[in-house]
Amino acid sequence: MNKKWIAAALCAGALTGLWGCNSEPATTAYVQNVGEITGAGSIAVNDRFSGIVVSENVTEIQRDANRTISMLYVSEGQDVNQGDVLFAYDSEALELEVDKLELELERLQNQSSTLQTQITELTNEQKNASKDDQLSYTVEIQSKEAEKKETDYNIKVKQREITQTKNTLANAEVISPVSGRVVSVSEDGMDQYGNAQAYITIQQTGAFRVKGTINELNMGAVTVGAAMRIISRTDESQTWTGVVSLIDLENASQGSTSSPYLMYGDSASSEMSSSSRYPFYVELDNAEGLMLGQHVYLELDTGTSPTGQGLWLPEYYLCYDEPGEDGQ
């Protein structure tokens, strides 16, 4: 993938105004978005992608959809320590539920005690009863014993419900299991493209890697094992190197594309203009100087990348007139 590069200080208007290599004004001009040429768009001639520095380990915190959250203590971009409270569930309803369950348990215990007293009394009476009454006593005693067994079973069930509810109440506050940075808080459990997302996502503090995104149009440009250059957005003289370790095809998200090659009748928001987006990750050779959450550029490291200031274009973007008779 050897390319010749030429530095050109060209503005957007100049690029979109090129006629091509034919000097006739009537010739059809095929233009390309400057953002795509320079790498700011979804496709770039030098395969430049937007990226962000992330942690190698990501922790997702799920919420109980059946419970109401009373307080959220963190926000996106906030650093948290292990043990910090992230959010709390509404505990008032649980406290009322515990009181209700304990009342029901007390009623069942009283009922069981009453049944036991009745069984004891019937058993004593049966001893002095006539032979004709023995059978009726036996049937009644057996009925009371069956009723007591059912009541005792319900007591155990109620005790278990109380224990579970009290445990839930004790865990009304959800704490962070790791130290790191909160990268997202999803109130409805969905990201901006409608994909399922954890309530809180935390990037753990530790070793860094860089996350980029490819789509169906440019996914062939990146392969696992490919060498990459990571470039600072604020100072392009600062670069890092790494290798693509993963292209996550299992976690695609949907997004619209700004491709200029739409068929007649299609809009930027139509189904035909949508493209699946796939995250890929670059393992760094050295992360010194990078910060968690820092935005960077990614491009394939072919060993022939241009250096210096200005807008760099491949040589084939420029054309030259053949010399005339006068040699000009």
Side-chain angles (χ1 to χ4, degrees):
M1 192 174 171
N2 237 352
K3 295 179 181 176
K4 293 183 179 179
W5 297 83
I6 295 178
L10 299 176
C11 67
L15 285 175
T16 56
L18 292 175
W19 283 346
C21 290
N22 191 320
S23 61
E24 295 294 330
T27 301
T28 302
Y30 295 94
V31 300
Q32 188 174 1
N33 186 287
V34 176
E36 294 176 350
I37 296 174
T38 60
S42 59
I43 310 173
V45 294
N46 58 331
D47 298 322
R48 175 174 281 197
F49 308 90
S50 296
I52 184 171
V53 179
V54 299
S55 169
E56 286 190 354
N57 299 312
V58 174
T59 298
E60 294 184 340
I61 310 296
Q62 305 290 347
R63 60 172 293 182
D64 187 344
N66 297 319
R67 301 178 64 183
T68 302
I69 293 177
S70 61
M71 183 67 69
L72 175 64
Y73 295 99
V74 297
S75 57
E76 292 184 6
Q78 180 177 337
D79 292 327
V80 296
N81 296 316
Q82 183 177 2
D84 287 351
V85 179
L86 301 175
F87 63 93
Y89 290 109
D90 183 7
S91 60
E92 183 177 355
L94 285 175
E95 290 171 352
L96 292 174
E97 181 68 15
V98 170
D99 292 341
K100 176 183 176 182
L101 291 172
E102 288 180 339
L103 286 173
E104 292 176 355
L105 175 62
E106 184 178 354
R107 179 183 61 78
L108 288 170
Q109 290 173 334
N110 290 335
Q111 182 178 339
S112 176
S113 178
T114 299
L115 287 169
Q116 182 58 55
T117 299
Q118 292 174 348
I119 292 171
T120 300
E121 291 176 351
L122 288 170
T123 301
N124 292 331
E125 291 176 5
Q126 186 182 30
K127 294 177 182 179
N128 301 319
S130 64
K131 291 183 179 180
D132 294 337
D133 294 333
Q134 287 292 324
L135 179 60
S136 62
Y137 272 104
T138 299
V139 171
E140 189 172 1
I141 290 171
Q142 290 176 344
S143 175
K144 296 294 183 181
E145 288 175 339
E147 187 177 352
K148 184 178 184 301
K149 286 181 180 180
E150 182 179 357
T151 302
D152 290 342
Y153 171 78
N154 290 333
I155 288 174
K156 292 180 180 179
V157 171
K158 197 65 62 178
Q159 288 173 332
R160 186 160 55 247
E161 289 179 2
I162 292 173
T163 299
Q164 292 174 345
T165 305
K166 285 184 175 180
N167 288 338
T168 302
L169 183 59
N171 296 318
E173 292 185 338
V174 178
I175 63 174
S176 176
V178 296
S179 296
R181 176 170 297 174
V182 177
V183 294
S184 67
V185 177
S186 176
E187 292 289 350
D188 58 0
M190 297 289 178
D191 63 14
Q192 58 181 324
Y193 302 114
N195 301 296
Q197 188 177 30
Y199 180 51
I200 295 178
T201 303
I202 301 174
Q203 288 181 349
Q204 295 178 225
T205 302
F208 294 154
R209 61 180 176 173
V210 178
K211 176 184 177 181
T213 305
I214 53 177
N215 58 32
E216 295 173 2
L217 301 177
N218 59 12
M219 65 183 305
V222 177
T223 57
V224 173
M228 301 290 289
R229 293 177 69 244
I230 296 88
I231 306 165
S232 170
R233 286 196 176 192
T234 56
D235 181 3
E236 294 208 2
S237 66
Q238 287 188 305
T239 61
W240 298 262
T241 57
V243 175
V244 177
S245 60
L246 172 66
I247 300 176
D248 193 354
L249 300 178
E250 300 298 323
N251 290 297
S253 60
Q254 294 295 318
S256 61
T257 178
S258 58
S259 172
Y261 310 112
L262 296 177
M263 297 295 290
Y264 178 77
D266 290 336
S267 66
S269 60
S270 71
E271 182 179 355
M272 296 300 294
S273 65
S274 296
S275 173
S276 294
R277 302 158 60 88
Y278 305 93
F280 68 91
Y281 297 91
V282 176
E283 299 296 331
L284 297 164
D285 297 325
N286 186 350
E288 184 177 355
L290 287 171
M291 298 181 296
L292 186 65
Q294 179 178 346
H295 291 270
V296 294
Y297 291 123
L298 294 164
E299 64 180 36
L300 291 169
D301 189 358
T302 63
T304 59
S305 300
T307 58
Q309 299 298 317
L311 170 63
W312 289 88
L313 297 175
E315 188 181 52
Y316 58 74
Y317 267 84
L318 302 181
C319 56
Y320 307 88
D321 289 333
E322 295 293 332
E325 293 180 359
D326 57 357
Q328 298 296 319

